[in-house]
Amino acid sequence: MYRVLLISLLSFLFSFNYSNNEKIVKNLKIKSASLIENGNFELALDLYLKILEFEQKIYLEDSIELAKTYDQIARLYMNLDNTSAALPYLKKSMNIYEKSILKPKNDLLLSLKNIAEIYEQQSQYELLDKSEKLIK
């Protein structure tokens, strides 16, 4: 019931061309944080996937904002024990961080640690070793 209502509301919101797009995204992220805090990871993931669609329309493909959203989506998939779905989002965020002029190393390291965690859960120790070497 809530999922249908949430998706309907998001579709309505995203159907308009707002001049304050970033404020809308920020508010949706705040709502998603509340869902995450209450352990409602599936609804938060649905919301973040909609946020991603919206952000892809307002930010460049190598935007740090997109990378952060990819990281959050990956973390939500990890919370739902779906590491195979998390991995592509982590790789996308890493590619953005690597291309970034500012090189936010903390964000890149977080993505690498999350990938290492996935490889460890999947018992892919060869890949785990490689990712741990990159972290160092």
mmCIF file with all atom_site columns, all heavy atoms in Angstrom, residues 32-47:
data_model
loop_
_atom_site.group_PDB
_atom_site.id
_atom_site.type_symbol
_atom_site.label_atom_id
_atom_site.label_alt_id
_atom_site.label_comp_id
_atom_site.label_asym_id
_atom_site.label_entity_id
_atom_site.label_seq_id
_atom_site.pdbx_PDB_ins_code
_atom_site.Cartn_x
_atom_site.Cartn_y
_atom_site.Cartn_z
_atom_site.occupancy
_atom_site.B_iso_or_equiv
_atom_site.pdbx_formal_charge
_atom_site.auth_seq_id
_atom_site.auth_comp_id
_atom_site.auth_asym_id
_atom_site.auth_atom_id
_atom_site.pdbx_PDB_model_num
ATOM 1   N N   . SER A 1 32 ? 14.173 9.432  2.628  1.00 0.00 ? 32 SER A N   1
ATOM 2   C CA  . SER A 1 32 ? 14.781 8.111  2.494  1.00 0.00 ? 32 SER A CA  1
ATOM 3   C C   . SER A 1 32 ? 15.616 7.779  3.728  1.00 0.00 ? 32 SER A C   1
ATOM 4   O O   . SER A 1 32 ? 15.613 6.636  4.190  1.00 0.00 ? 32 SER A O   1
ATOM 5   C CB  . SER A 1 32 ? 15.639 8.048  1.239  1.00 0.00 ? 32 SER A CB  1
ATOM 6   O OG  . SER A 1 32 ? 16.188 6.771  1.091  1.00 0.00 ? 32 SER A OG  1
ATOM 7   N N   . ALA A 1 33 ? 16.324 8.763  4.260  1.00 0.00 ? 33 ALA A N   1
ATOM 8   C CA  . ALA A 1 33 ? 17.125 8.536  5.472  1.00 0.00 ? 33 ALA A CA  1
ATOM 9   C C   . ALA A 1 33 ? 16.236 8.091  6.625  1.00 0.00 ? 33 ALA A C   1
ATOM 10  O O   . ALA A 1 33 ? 16.624 7.218  7.415  1.00 0.00 ? 33 ALA A O   1
ATOM 11  C CB  . ALA A 1 33 ? 17.895 9.802  5.837  1.00 0.00 ? 33 ALA A CB  1
ATOM 12  N N   . SER A 1 34 ? 15.053 8.656  6.696  1.00 0.00 ? 34 SER A N   1
ATOM 13  C CA  . SER A 1 34 ? 14.101 8.254  7.730  1.00 0.00 ? 34 SER A CA  1
ATOM 14  C C   . SER A 1 34 ? 13.665 6.802  7.536  1.00 0.00 ? 34 SER A C   1
ATOM 15  O O   . SER A 1 34 ? 13.558 6.037  8.504  1.00 0.00 ? 34 SER A O   1
ATOM 16  C CB  . SER A 1 34 ? 12.885 9.180  7.703  1.00 0.00 ? 34 SER A CB  1
ATOM 17  O OG  . SER A 1 34 ? 11.921 8.753  8.608  1.00 0.00 ? 34 SER A OG  1
ATOM 18  N N   . LEU A 1 35 ? 13.426 6.424  6.289  1.00 0.00 ? 35 LEU A N   1
ATOM 19  C CA  . LEU A 1 35 ? 13.063 5.033  5.997  1.00 0.00 ? 35 LEU A CA  1
ATOM 20  C C   . LEU A 1 35 ? 14.198 4.082  6.380  1.00 0.00 ? 35 LEU A C   1
ATOM 21  O O   . LEU A 1 35 ? 13.965 3.018  6.955  1.00 0.00 ? 35 LEU A O   1
ATOM 22  C CB  . LEU A 1 35 ? 12.727 4.874  4.511  1.00 0.00 ? 35 LEU A CB  1
ATOM 23  C CG  . LEU A 1 35 ? 11.440 5.545  4.024  1.00 0.00 ? 35 LEU A CG  1
ATOM 24  C CD1 . LEU A 1 35 ? 11.373 5.509  2.502  1.00 0.00 ? 35 LEU A CD1 1
ATOM 25  C CD2 . LEU A 1 35 ? 10.219 4.868  4.629  1.00 0.00 ? 35 LEU A CD2 1
ATOM 26  N N   . ILE A 1 36 ? 15.423 4.484  6.070  1.00 0.00 ? 36 ILE A N   1
ATOM 27  C CA  . ILE A 1 36 ? 16.595 3.658  6.392  1.00 0.00 ? 36 ILE A CA  1
ATOM 28  C C   . ILE A 1 36 ? 16.723 3.520  7.905  1.00 0.00 ? 36 ILE A C   1
ATOM 29  O O   . ILE A 1 36 ? 16.958 2.425  8.419  1.00 0.00 ? 36 ILE A O   1
ATOM 30  C CB  . ILE A 1 36 ? 17.871 4.263  5.772  1.00 0.00 ? 36 ILE A CB  1
ATOM 31  C CG1 . ILE A 1 36 ? 17.806 4.167  4.246  1.00 0.00 ? 36 ILE A CG1 1
ATOM 32  C CG2 . ILE A 1 36 ? 19.120 3.576  6.317  1.00 0.00 ? 36 ILE A CG2 1
ATOM 33  C CD1 . ILE A 1 36 ? 18.850 4.993  3.522  1.00 0.00 ? 36 ILE A CD1 1
ATOM 34  N N   . GLU A 1 37 ? 16.550 4.627  8.606  1.00 0.00 ? 37 GLU A N   1
ATOM 35  C CA  . GLU A 1 37 ? 16.657 4.618  10.065 1.00 0.00 ? 37 GLU A CA  1
ATOM 36  C C   . GLU A 1 37 ? 15.643 3.659  10.695 1.00 0.00 ? 37 GLU A C   1
ATOM 37  O O   . GLU A 1 37 ? 15.926 3.020  11.700 1.00 0.00 ? 37 GLU A O   1
ATOM 38  C CB  . GLU A 1 37 ? 16.433 6.034  10.592 1.00 0.00 ? 37 GLU A CB  1
ATOM 39  C CG  . GLU A 1 37 ? 16.738 6.208  12.054 1.00 0.00 ? 37 GLU A CG  1
ATOM 40  C CD  . GLU A 1 37 ? 16.612 7.655  12.472 1.00 0.00 ? 37 GLU A CD  1
ATOM 41  O OE1 . GLU A 1 37 ? 17.285 8.504  11.854 1.00 0.00 ? 37 GLU A OE1 1
ATOM 42  O OE2 . GLU A 1 37 ? 15.846 7.923  13.410 1.00 0.00 ? 37 GLU A OE2 1
ATOM 43  N N   . ASN A 1 38 ? 14.482 3.535  10.052 1.00 0.00 ? 38 ASN A N   1
ATOM 44  C CA  . ASN A 1 38 ? 13.437 2.634  10.553 1.00 0.00 ? 38 ASN A CA  1
ATOM 45  C C   . ASN A 1 38 ? 13.560 1.221  9.991  1.00 0.00 ? 38 ASN A C   1
ATOM 46  O O   . ASN A 1 38 ? 12.685 0.388  10.214 1.00 0.00 ? 38 ASN A O   1
ATOM 47  C CB  . ASN A 1 38 ? 12.050 3.205  10.236 1.00 0.00 ? 38 ASN A CB  1
ATOM 48  C CG  . ASN A 1 38 ? 11.759 4.454  11.031 1.00 0.00 ? 38 ASN A CG  1
ATOM 49  O OD1 . ASN A 1 38 ? 12.092 4.533  12.200 1.00 0.00 ? 38 ASN A OD1 1
ATOM 50  N ND2 . ASN A 1 38 ? 11.158 5.436  10.396 1.00 0.00 ? 38 ASN A ND2 1
ATOM 51  N N   . GLY A 1 39 ? 14.628 0.959  9.244  1.00 0.00 ? 39 GLY A N   1
ATOM 52  C CA  . GLY A 1 39 ? 14.877 -0.379 8.725  1.00 0.00 ? 39 GLY A CA  1
ATOM 53  C C   . GLY A 1 39 ? 14.038 -0.757 7.524  1.00 0.00 ? 39 GLY A C   1
ATOM 54  O O   . GLY A 1 39 ? 13.986 -1.919 7.145  1.00 0.00 ? 39 GLY A O   1
ATOM 55  N N   . ASN A 1 40 ? 13.407 0.219  6.895  1.00 0.00 ? 40 ASN A N   1
ATOM 56  C CA  . ASN A 1 40 ? 12.579 -0.056 5.723  1.00 0.00 ? 40 ASN A CA  1
ATOM 57  C C   . ASN A 1 40 ? 13.433 0.115  4.469  1.00 0.00 ? 40 ASN A C   1
ATOM 58  O O   . ASN A 1 40 ? 13.268 1.071  3.695  1.00 0.00 ? 40 ASN A O   1
ATOM 59  C CB  . ASN A 1 40 ? 11.358 0.867  5.709  1.00 0.00 ? 40 ASN A CB  1
ATOM 60  C CG  . ASN A 1 40 ? 10.283 0.356  4.796  1.00 0.00 ? 40 ASN A CG  1
ATOM 61  O OD1 . ASN A 1 40 ? 10.551 -0.418 3.879  1.00 0.00 ? 40 ASN A OD1 1
ATOM 62  N ND2 . ASN A 1 40 ? 9.068  0.797  5.026  1.00 0.00 ? 40 ASN A ND2 1
ATOM 63  N N   . PHE A 1 41 ? 14.348 -0.831 4.267  1.00 0.00 ? 41 PHE A N   1
ATOM 64  C CA  . PHE A 1 41 ? 15.336 -0.721 3.200  1.00 0.00 ? 41 PHE A CA  1
ATOM 65  C C   . PHE A 1 41 ? 14.727 -0.854 1.807  1.00 0.00 ? 41 PHE A C   1
ATOM 66  O O   . PHE A 1 41 ? 15.193 -0.215 0.868  1.00 0.00 ? 41 PHE A O   1
ATOM 67  C CB  . PHE A 1 41 ? 16.442 -1.761 3.396  1.00 0.00 ? 41 PHE A CB  1
ATOM 68  C CG  . PHE A 1 41 ? 17.158 -1.628 4.707  1.00 0.00 ? 41 PHE A CG  1
ATOM 69  C CD1 . PHE A 1 41 ? 17.201 -2.692 5.592  1.00 0.00 ? 41 PHE A CD1 1
ATOM 70  C CD2 . PHE A 1 41 ? 17.764 -0.444 5.067  1.00 0.00 ? 41 PHE A CD2 1
ATOM 71  C CE1 . PHE A 1 41 ? 17.858 -2.572 6.816  1.00 0.00 ? 41 PHE A CE1 1
ATOM 72  C CE2 . PHE A 1 41 ? 18.423 -0.312 6.286  1.00 0.00 ? 41 PHE A CE2 1
ATOM 73  C CZ  . PHE A 1 41 ? 18.465 -1.378 7.164  1.00 0.00 ? 41 PHE A CZ  1
ATOM 74  N N   . GLU A 1 42 ? 13.704 -1.662 1.660  1.00 0.00 ? 42 GLU A N   1
ATOM 75  C CA  . GLU A 1 42 ? 13.086 -1.836 0.336  1.00 0.00 ? 42 GLU A CA  1
ATOM 76  C C   . GLU A 1 42 ? 12.448 -0.542 -0.156 1.00 0.00 ? 42 GLU A C   1
ATOM 77  O O   . GLU A 1 42 ? 12.648 -0.155 -1.312 1.00 0.00 ? 42 GLU A O   1
ATOM 78  C CB  . GLU A 1 42 ? 12.054 -2.961 0.361  1.00 0.00 ? 42 GLU A CB  1
ATOM 79  C CG  . GLU A 1 42 ? 12.691 -4.334 0.414  1.00 0.00 ? 42 GLU A CG  1
ATOM 80  C CD  . GLU A 1 42 ? 11.666 -5.449 0.332  1.00 0.00 ? 42 GLU A CD  1
ATOM 81  O OE1 . GLU A 1 42 ? 10.565 -5.221 -0.198 1.00 0.00 ? 42 GLU A OE1 1
ATOM 82  O OE2 . GLU A 1 42 ? 11.983 -6.552 0.795  1.00 0.00 ? 42 GLU A OE2 1
ATOM 83  N N   . LEU A 1 43 ? 11.686 0.132  0.713  1.00 0.00 ? 43 LEU A N   1
ATOM 84  C CA  . LEU A 1 43 ? 11.075 1.401  0.310  1.00 0.00 ? 43 LEU A CA  1
ATOM 85  C C   . LEU A 1 43 ? 12.145 2.459  0.062  1.00 0.00 ? 43 LEU A C   1
ATOM 86  O O   . LEU A 1 43 ? 12.038 3.252  -0.879 1.00 0.00 ? 43 LEU A O   1
ATOM 87  C CB  . LEU A 1 43 ? 10.095 1.894  1.376  1.00 0.00 ? 43 LEU A CB  1
ATOM 88  C CG  . LEU A 1 43 ? 8.634  1.610  1.137  1.00 0.00 ? 43 LEU A CG  1
ATOM 89  C CD1 . LEU A 1 43 ? 7.770  2.140  2.268  1.00 0.00 ? 43 LEU A CD1 1
ATOM 90  C CD2 . LEU A 1 43 ? 8.152  2.124  -0.183 1.00 0.00 ? 43 LEU A CD2 1
ATOM 91  N N   . ALA A 1 44 ? 13.165 2.465  0.917  1.00 0.00 ? 44 ALA A N   1
ATOM 92  C CA  . ALA A 1 44 ? 14.258 3.430  0.735  1.00 0.00 ? 44 ALA A CA  1
ATOM 93  C C   . ALA A 1 44 ? 14.967 3.180  -0.595 1.00 0.00 ? 44 ALA A C   1
ATOM 94  O O   . ALA A 1 44 ? 15.316 4.132  -1.302 1.00 0.00 ? 44 ALA A O   1
ATOM 95  C CB  . ALA A 1 44 ? 15.247 3.325  1.896  1.00 0.00 ? 44 ALA A CB  1
ATOM 96  N N   . LEU A 1 45 ? 15.140 1.917  -0.949 1.00 0.00 ? 45 LEU A N   1
ATOM 97  C CA  . LEU A 1 45 ? 15.765 1.588  -2.233 1.00 0.00 ? 45 LEU A CA  1
ATOM 98  C C   . LEU A 1 45 ? 14.895 2.056  -3.392 1.00 0.00 ? 45 LEU A C   1
ATOM 99  O O   . LEU A 1 45 ? 15.409 2.663  -4.339 1.00 0.00 ? 45 LEU A O   1
ATOM 100 C CB  . LEU A 1 45 ? 16.023 0.088  -2.329 1.00 0.00 ? 45 LEU A CB  1
ATOM 101 C CG  . LEU A 1 45 ? 16.618 -0.404 -3.646 1.00 0.00 ? 45 LEU A CG  1
ATOM 102 C CD1 . LEU A 1 45 ? 17.973 0.245  -3.925 1.00 0.00 ? 45 LEU A CD1 1
ATOM 103 C CD2 . LEU A 1 45 ? 16.749 -1.916 -3.631 1.00 0.00 ? 45 LEU A CD2 1
ATOM 104 N N   . ASP A 1 46 ? 13.596 1.799  -3.319 1.00 0.00 ? 46 ASP A N   1
ATOM 105 C CA  . ASP A 1 46 ? 12.688 2.281  -4.368 1.00 0.00 ? 46 ASP A CA  1
ATOM 106 C C   . ASP A 1 46 ? 12.806 3.793  -4.533 1.00 0.00 ? 46 ASP A C   1
ATOM 107 O O   . ASP A 1 46 ? 12.872 4.307  -5.649 1.00 0.00 ? 46 ASP A O   1
ATOM 108 C CB  . ASP A 1 46 ? 11.229 1.929  -4.047 1.00 0.00 ? 46 ASP A CB  1
ATOM 109 C CG  . ASP A 1 46 ? 10.931 0.455  -4.185 1.00 0.00 ? 46 ASP A CG  1
ATOM 110 O OD1 . ASP A 1 46 ? 11.728 -0.266 -4.827 1.00 0.00 ? 46 ASP A OD1 1
ATOM 111 O OD2 . ASP A 1 46 ? 9.886  0.011  -3.651 1.00 0.00 ? 46 ASP A OD2 1
ATOM 112 N N   . LEU A 1 47 ? 12.848 4.489  -3.411 1.00 0.00 ? 47 LEU A N   1
ATOM 113 C CA  . LEU A 1 47 ? 12.955 5.942  -3.440 1.00 0.00 ? 47 LEU A CA  1
ATOM 114 C C   . LEU A 1 47 ? 14.288 6.372  -4.035 1.00 0.00 ? 47 LEU A C   1
ATOM 115 O O   . LEU A 1 47 ? 14.339 7.266  -4.879 1.00 0.00 ? 47 LEU A O   1
ATOM 116 C CB  . LEU A 1 47 ? 12.781 6.506  -2.028 1.00 0.00 ? 47 LEU A CB  1
ATOM 117 C CG  . LEU A 1 47 ? 12.750 8.010  -1.879 1.00 0.00 ? 47 LEU A CG  1
ATOM 118 C CD1 . LEU A 1 47 ? 11.677 8.641  -2.754 1.00 0.00 ? 47 LEU A CD1 1
ATOM 119 C CD2 . LEU A 1 47 ? 12.517 8.383  -0.430 1.00 0.00 ? 47 LEU A CD2 1
#
